[in-house]
Amino acid sequence: MKLTTIGRRTRVAVAAAVILLTATFTATGAAADPIGSCATITKFTMTFRTGGDDLRYNSELLVSIKVPHLTQPLPLRSVFGQFPNNSTVVKVDIPFATTGQTVNSCHIRAQHLTLISHSAWFEGPDNWDMNSFSIVGYTSSGVAKYQHSSGTGSPWFRFSQSKPTLVVHDWL
């Protein structure tokens, strides 16, 4: 086989991979957007499915919202374990960590999810599998004005000590 033939095949394979990745990101991003006109979000509801590993009772998931005009994401209240494994669906209301904090639904660009492991002396650091994730933002009157849904996987994301943070971008 000629070297030029191998080079062409490699270029075609790389181009196909780039197209596939672009389509995947575009499809994922289509699920994240403000609902209707912009509005002030006061709280969120997060729904996720655990995977083949549990989140221990002494661990927590820090959730924050990224907006473009701030260097640091806006923290929401932490979600504490225990969440068992085997595809348990968890739905939890999470207000802002600072009372009275709000965000414009049209300014949300990402969610940061960080596993904090509070291991007991006899335990190793906690790891956790998340199989899906969605978040909905509500106004003070309870109207949904923001939504984001991830894909699914088994696991969709594995939180570990080497990868404790997942950033879920809105591909606007």
Side-chain angles (χ1 to χ4, degrees):
M1 184 176 292
K2 290 183 178 181
L3 187 56
T4 56
T5 304
I6 294 172
R8 269 191 233 126
R9 287 183 183 167
T10 302
R11 286 191 302 264
V12 168
V14 169
V18 168
I19 290 169
L20 179 62
L21 283 172
T22 303
T24 301
F25 286 136
T26 302
T28 301
D33 63 328
I35 302 170
S37 59
C38 298
T40 301
I41 301 295
T42 60
K43 61 185 175 185
F44 294 87
T45 297
M46 182 173 70
T47 306
F48 57 88
R49 193 175 72 202
T50 63
D53 200 351
D54 66 341
L55 180 66
R56 294 183 197 145
Y57 67 92
N58 54 349
S59 293
E60 66 184 292
L61 185 63
L62 300 175
V63 182
S64 57
I65 303 299
K66 182 66 179 146
V67 294
H69 59 278
L70 298 174
T71 57
Q72 294 297 315
L74 297 169
L76 303 177
R77 291 211 183 130
S78 293
V79 177
F80 289 89
Q82 176 173 13
F83 302 119
N85 57 3
N86 300 325
S87 294
T88 299
V89 175
V90 177
K91 185 174 183 178
V92 60
D93 292 328
I94 45 176
F96 284 93
T98 303
T99 303
Q101 179 75 57
T102 62
V103 67
N104 185 304
S105 61
C106 293
H107 293 168
I108 299 171
R109 295 293 179 262
Q111 293 80 48
H112 292 215
L113 309 170
T114 302
L115 172 67
I116 304 295
S117 179
H118 301 289
S119 304
W121 64 271
F122 57 89
E123 298 175 317
D126 200 1
N127 298 305
W128 180 49
D129 292 346
M130 181 182 275
N131 285 358
S132 66
F133 164 80
S134 68
I135 192 165
V136 177
Y138 295 93
T139 65
S140 60
S141 61
V143 177
K145 283 296 194 173
Y146 173 83
Q147 65 182 358
H148 187 119
S149 296
S150 74
T152 60
S154 187
W156 177 65
F157 186 80
R158 179 161 176 81
F159 293 91
S160 65
Q161 295 306 295
S162 61
K163 292 191 314 185
T165 301
L166 167 65
V167 178
V168 183
H169 292 280
D170 290 0
W171 302 101
L172 298 176

